[in-house]
Amino acid sequence: MIDNTKDSRFSVKQLIVIYTIISLMSLLAVWELVARFTKASMFLPPASQVLVAFCRSFVEPIGKRTMLAHIGVSLYRVGVAFFFATIAGIALGVGMGYSRLAEAILKPIFEFIRPIPPLAWIPLSILWFGLGDTGKFFIIFLGCFCFITVNTYDGAKNVDPELIGAARMLGANERQVFFEIVLPSSVPYIFAGLQIAVTAGWSAVVGAEMIQSNEGVGWMIVRGMNTGNTVQIMVGIVAIGIVGFILANLTSALERRLCAWNEQKGM
Amino acid sequence: MEEKKMPKVQVRGLTKRFGDLLVLNNISFDVEAGEFLCIVGPTGCGKTTFLNSLTKLYKPTEGEILLDGEPVDLKKHNIAYIFQEYSTMPWLTVEENVGFGLDIKGVEKGKAKALVDEYLEIVGLAKYRKYYPNQLSASMLQRVVIARAFATQPDLLLMDEPYGQLDIQLRYHLEDELISLWQRTGTTVLFITHNIEEAVYMGQRILVLTNKPTSIKQTIDNNLPRPRDIASPDFVKLRNEVTDLIKWW
Amino acid sequence: MERAEGNVGSPAAVLECRNVGRSFDSYDGGGKNEVLRGMDFEVHENEFLVLFGAGQCGKTTLLNILAGLDMPTEGQVLTRGKKVTGPAPERGMVYQKTSLFPWMTVEDNVGFGPKVQHMPENERQARIKKYLELVGLTGFEKNYPSQLSGGMRQRVGIARAYANQPDIMLMDEPFGHLDAQTRYMMEEELQRIWQKEKRTVIFVTNNIEEALFLADRIILLTNCPTHIKEEYIINMPHPRDYVDPEFLRLRQLITDNMDLTL
């Protein structure tokens, strides 16, 4: 039924929240039961224990730092890399989408690099950039960059030619067409790319922090693995999940604000 | 033959609210079996809500719709729709498209094939049975849609501005074709449009709707002889009458 | 029609379309797909010329050529005696799909032409105000196109074209997507706007009522390749009545002269 005016105590929005909560609670319950009452308990600490450790990590340091500081370090790494990836990705994407020449020159190179997973670059990045933050930026950058480029490229390719024609008829020159028409009409695509990229970058942080490091949520997991501390691994995983979730929602909130014109479609 | 004929469709006190917003206000009317009824209303009247209530996509807040005296049940009753967009399936050939409705209704294969053949013949598409929709012109597509609707031998055929965007001559042509198909099959047709001239040209009766909240403003019998002439004084008179009831612009 | 030799345009005509033809390479690469043939006509100062014809093929291509967005494979287009070589703000265009810039508000859309031509801001604001008023959209300056009804969007499109104060307006089935009643309203509105601020207009439509309601002159086109079949001078006084006997007579006359393509 499309009809949502049926007599019901809850609105559709409320129902979605309710179901989300139920789903999360059941996940935790199943986890707890499996960890407590099956053989998996050897490798899987119960949810309650992980949650307690997670909360404690905000006050008691893991390694040298507390949870917030670890998250902060990782966010800083993702932030820097993401910033450069956004600039490079949008520039390359719009360039390839708008100019046939740029497309012909750059697209084959890009298509060659695109399928290589960021982690494959770790050995080279150590050789090139050493063990410091630069190498980590590089890995995360590669994790974000392609998504932004591909989406921006799609956006710039899909500009309605009639809009470009309309702008030219109104007297716009090439540069104005580019900045006034091609770029803004790619914005929804760019945001779709940013949203995937921010999540991808956040995932890549774990790989990046496997390179010599003594802080960050990725380090927390690697460290937990090396010391056989499953609780610490799970705490790191939970932290990554939560922060990733928040980042994805922040980007879509930003998109809704910036692309208000695109929202009310279908009226 | 029964002594007293029961109306094919009975709409009784149809009312629809979205929250506090009243969209349909106590609409009641009958459609006789085999009747061609046109419904016309001002732009922005609750046309879509009205249609969706008839097709049971929306549950009415109050009132009911009876088909052959029973509440409309899409599982039991056979209602066909023709909308403005050519809703042919691009991956099916012409004959598969025409047979689509029969397939869904579970009509037995041999019988379905006979019906498909019959209606392809009637709309003049027998030669094109193996073609795909993207190989056909607009008018042929429209005919595929019409053949598909008629082939299911519907209890009721609902049409929502099927010819809104067509060129005028093509529209005239398809309108005439529809009329002759209707006369031939005796199908009950409910034809909704914004185009007053079209309503006067097609219908045996015209139901004029008001603006939101939608109710019935007037019902006009249309006994003009067919084929109708849009330039004849009687036609113009009736057209003006309907226009005066609706005009907002 | 008799015509001066060569490329010399007649001074009275605002726009001349001289023997314009357009072919595209067909998909299989071998042949040519001809969509326009021997289009030869002109439009005069403040004339409302309607190009009327059925079918999809050719009409939009023709308008694109008149606009300078596409080049003919044969013949040429002259505006005030000068050959058209590309798009220019002297020719305003109104589209069926409106082609408003969805990320701009109504006022930014209307002010786009003046802006890209670097008109001083106060002058630009005055333009926006004037033409929004002309099309009856004062109060909707800050709305986005997606918040407007179809008829209102088309008004913005008309205001946007007017804001450049073009020498000639090209209208490509601007009301084609509207329902029959909104269409009547917009036809009356366009007539009112045009009476108030006259322009030379070339208006393309497949709707005969619309053509007869608006036109000073109708050119009947036939299909594939599109070429001129007949020309009608329409002398009925404005405002016209859709059910006036003379209106209906002309309507019959012209539709009977169309080719029915099924």
Side-chain angles (χ1 to χ4, degrees):
Chain A
M1 279 269 181
I2 295 172
D3 197 351
N4 53 23
T5 59
K6 273 182 306 188
D7 307 322
S8 165
R9 278 183 301 145
F10 302 106
S11 73
V12 172
K13 259 191 185 158
Q14 286 170 325
L15 279 177
I16 289 174
V17 172
I18 291 169
Y19 283 129
T20 310
I21 292 171
I22 292 175
S23 147
L24 283 176
M25 293 312 246
S26 337
L27 175 72
L28 288 177
V30 171
W31 175 3
E32 184 75 24
L33 290 174
V34 168
R36 287 213 181 270
F37 300 111
T38 69
K39 291 251 164 71
S41 55
M42 304 246 314
F43 320 102
L44 182 70
S48 52
Q49 201 183 333
V50 170
L51 284 183
V52 170
F54 179 73
C55 295
R56 280 225 314 260
S57 67
F58 282 87
V59 279
E60 290 169 20
I62 297 177
K64 283 187 213 149
R65 291 166 188 274
T66 57
M67 179 56 88
L68 277 183
H70 282 298
I71 291 176
V73 166
S74 296
L75 273 180
Y76 159 74
R77 286 169 178 154
V78 173
V80 171
F82 186 72
F83 175 74
F84 286 106
T86 303
I87 293 177
I90 292 177
L92 182 62
V94 176
M96 290 196 313
Y98 185 57
S99 150
R100 287 271 174 83
L101 186 67
E103 187 180 15
I105 296 172
L106 297 171
K107 195 155 177 244
I109 305 175
F110 176 73
E111 287 296 339
F112 176 73
I113 295 175
R114 181 151 83 120
I116 304 171
L119 298 191
W121 294 92
I122 288 181
L124 278 180
S125 103
I126 295 174
L127 282 177
W128 294 345
F129 303 108
L131 296 166
D133 267 356
T134 319
K136 299 181 182 64
F137 294 150
F138 179 65
I139 299 298
I140 302 166
F141 174 89
L142 287 171
C144 314
F145 166 72
C146 291
F147 292 109
I148 302 173
T149 312
V150 169
N151 275 278
T152 311
Y153 171 71
D154 262 0
K157 270 258 157 207
N158 282 316
V159 182
D160 182 351
E162 211 172 271
L163 288 186
I164 295 179
R168 290 176 67 201
M169 287 301 292
L170 290 165
N173 58 31
E174 286 296 308
R175 193 181 56 82
Q176 287 166 326
V177 166
F178 183 80
F179 284 104
E180 301 276 350
I181 309 298
V182 177
L183 210 51
S185 72
S186 311
V187 166
Y189 289 84
I190 294 176
F191 263 97
L194 292 184
Q195 217 166 329
I196 308 170
V198 81
T199 327
W202 185 244
S203 326
V205 84
V206 180
E209 286 174 352
M210 284 176 178
I211 314 171
Q212 176 73 34
S213 172
N214 51 18
E215 53 195 352
V217 284
W219 167 82
M220 201 186 288
I221 292 171
V222 177
R223 177 77 188 161
M225 185 177 77
N226 292 340
T227 57
N229 185 344
T230 48
V231 174
Q232 189 177 323
I233 295 177
M234 288 308 294
V235 166
I237 288 175
V238 169
I240 286 175
I242 291 175
V243 175
F245 178 79
I246 293 172
L247 284 179
N249 278 292
L250 279 181
T251 9
S252 55
L254 187 65
E255 180 191 2
R256 274 200 298 277
R257 284 203 55 158
L258 287 181
C259 303
W261 56 271
N262 204 30
E263 274 286 303
Q264 299 114 338
K265 255 187 189 153
M267 268 182 60
Chain B
M1 284 277 129
E2 286 174 67
E3 294 249 322
K4 190 165 154 264
K5 268 204 345 208
M6 182 195 286
K8 188 77 179 172
V9 184
Q10 295 164 276
V11 177
R12 291 282 165 264
L14 189 66
T15 299
K16 178 73 190 171
R17 278 192 197 87
F18 290 103
D20 291 334
L21 184 70
L22 181 64
V23 182
L24 302 181
N25 186 12
N26 192 19
I27 296 181
S28 300
F29 64 94
D30 288 348
V31 189
E32 301 301 326
E35 186 178 3
F36 198 118
L37 177 66
C38 281
I39 299 179
V40 55
T43 304
C45 75
K47 194 185 77 160
T48 311
T49 313
F50 180 68
L51 201 79
N52 285 339
S53 300
L54 287 181
T55 59
K56 301 279 276 185
L57 270 173
Y58 290 154
K59 205 172 120 215
T61 314
E62 278 163 48
E64 56 179 356
I65 303 161
L66 305 178
L67 221 161
D68 290 327
E70 296 171 68
V72 172
D73 178 357
L74 293 185
K75 290 191 196 78
K76 190 159 45 176
H77 297 120
N78 185 359
I79 299 183
Y81 320 97
I82 299 181
F83 295 144
Q84 193 163 32
E85 306 79 38
Y86 308 119
S87 43
T88 50
M89 318 287 166
W91 59 90
L92 299 181
T93 62
V94 167
E95 62 178 350
E96 286 164 348
N97 263 297
V98 173
F100 185 76
L102 300 166
D103 228 29
I104 287 196
K105 299 225 148 55
V107 175
E108 177 259 321
K109 281 263 183 305
K111 196 177 161 214
K113 184 167 183 318
L115 281 169
V116 169
D117 287 347
E118 184 187 342
Y119 281 93
L120 280 177
E121 198 62 52
I122 289 176
V123 299
L125 284 177
K127 269 197 298 186
Y128 300 95
R129 56 191 318 144
K130 297 290 179 199
Y131 282 55
Y132 283 96
N134 68 0
Q135 297 169 298
L136 303 181
S137 69
S139 71
M140 288 158 111
L141 284 175
Q142 188 63 36
R143 287 190 186 141
V144 174
V145 174
I146 289 190
R148 182 178 65 193
F150 275 96
T152 60
Q153 299 178 304
D155 295 315
L156 176 64
L157 176 59
L158 290 174
M159 304 185 81
D160 182 10
E161 288 221 44
Y163 307 132
Q165 308 292 344
L166 295 179
D167 291 334
I168 191 150
Q169 272 204 315
L170 198 53
R171 211 185 78 205
Y172 288 166
H173 186 85
L174 290 168
E175 284 169 356
D176 289 342
E177 232 172 46
L178 176 66
I179 292 289
S180 80
L181 204 55
W182 161 71
Q183 286 170 332
R184 202 157 152 175
T185 56
T187 306
T188 310
V189 182
L190 248 174
F191 191 100
I192 303 185
T193 179
H194 277 125
N195 188 324
I196 296 161
E197 186 186 85
E198 189 175 40
V200 176
Y201 188 75
M202 306 290 277
Q204 289 177 300
R205 203 151 55 99
I206 303 168
L207 215 62
V208 182
L209 301 180
T210 64
N211 223 322
K212 270 180 198 162
T214 311
S215 58
I216 296 175
K217 189 162 201 172
Q218 198 164 327
T219 310
I220 300 173
D221 285 318
N222 179 353
N223 297 318
L224 295 174
R226 296 183 199 269
R228 292 176 180 165
D229 173 11
I230 57 157
S232 77
D234 286 342
F235 190 98
V236 170
K237 188 166 157 273
L238 193 54
R239 178 178 165 178
N240 282 336
E241 196 180 315
V242 178
T243 306
D244 290 340
L245 285 172
I246 288 176
K247 184 151 180 170
W248 55 270
W249 60 95
Chain C
M1 274 180 278
E2 42 192 304
R3 200 53 65 216
E5 287 293 305
N7 296 344
V8 191
S10 63
V14 180
L15 181 143
E16 296 164 84
C17 186
R18 290 290 161 246
N19 196 31
V20 162
R22 180 74 170 96
S23 306
F24 295 94
D25 293 327
S26 60
Y27 292 119
D28 45 53
K32 289 273 184 201
N33 184 7
E34 190 184 18
V35 296
L36 288 177
R37 178 187 293 170
M39 293 295 301
D40 201 84
F41 63 91
E42 70 282 285
V43 56
H44 300 281
E45 195 78 50
N46 291 347
E47 184 184 24
F48 203 115
L49 174 68
V50 170
L51 302 177
F52 168 71
Q56 314 303 320
C57 120
K59 284 182 292 182
T60 296
T61 308
L62 176 63
L63 267 200
N64 278 335
I65 288 172
L66 299 183
L69 290 166
D70 190 12
M71 287 298 136
T73 39
E74 252 177 80
Q76 59 180 342
V77 178
L78 307 168
T79 47
R80 302 210 182 263
K82 263 174 52 199
K83 192 174 170 190
V84 170
T85 53
E90 294 91 65
R91 274 160 283 136
M93 187 111 157
V94 182
Y95 301 83
Q96 180 174 34
K97 290 190 295 175
T98 72
S99 288
L100 297 178
F101 307 122
W103 56 90
M104 293 183 199
T105 57
V106 166
E107 60 178 356
D108 289 343
N109 265 286
V110 175
F112 183 84
K115 181 180 161 195
V116 293
Q117 293 174 76
H118 308 293
M119 180 185 282
E121 188 56 23
N122 52 350
E123 209 177 314
R124 191 175 84 97
Q125 288 303 332
R127 278 277 175 96
I128 295 173
K129 190 164 173 291
K130 176 177 176 193
Y131 288 107
L132 280 181
E133 206 174 294
L134 181 68
V135 301
L137 276 184
T138 309
F140 292 94
E141 289 84 357
K142 306 286 180 203
N143 285 85
Y144 285 101
S146 56
Q147 299 168 315
L148 304 179
S149 68
M152 284 159 94
R153 274 182 235 177
Q154 226 21 288
R155 288 170 193 257
V156 180
I158 293 167
R160 184 177 69 175
Y162 259 110
N164 262 353
Q165 302 197 325
D167 197 24
I168 184 164
M169 296 269 249
L170 307 171
M171 302 197 172
D172 187 7
E173 304 198 30
F175 309 141
H177 278 332
L178 305 177
D179 71 85
Q181 295 164 25
T182 310
R183 205 164 172 154
Y184 287 146
M185 175 195 65
M186 287 308 294
E187 286 158 19
E188 284 173 21
E189 276 295 282
L190 180 61
Q191 186 54 223
R192 176 187 67 78
I193 291 165
W194 184 71
Q195 295 289 356
K196 202 154 179 198
E197 187 159 338
K198 285 223 173 176
R199 297 279 159 194
T200 309
V201 177
I202 298 180
F203 187 105
V204 170
T205 182
N206 64 1
N207 183 304
I208 183 63
E209 284 194 302
E210 185 168 284
L212 278 169
F213 188 79
L214 296 168
D216 292 329
R217 184 157 58 102
I218 294 177
I219 291 180
L220 172 62
L221 302 175
T222 60
N223 224 343
C224 290
T226 298
H227 59 277
I228 297 174
K229 183 159 185 191
E230 195 61 79
E231 197 176 312
Y232 305 88
I233 310 283
I234 312 296
N235 279 323
M236 290 182 286
H238 291 284
R240 294 174 183 166
D241 179 1
Y242 295 100
V243 288
D244 177 73
E246 175 64 5
F247 194 101
L248 290 169
R249 187 189 69 81
L250 281 168
R251 176 175 161 182
Q252 196 74 52
L253 178 78
I254 297 173
T255 31
D256 284 349
N257 210 352
M258 293 171 76
D259 304 315
L260 177 62
T261 37
L262 290 179

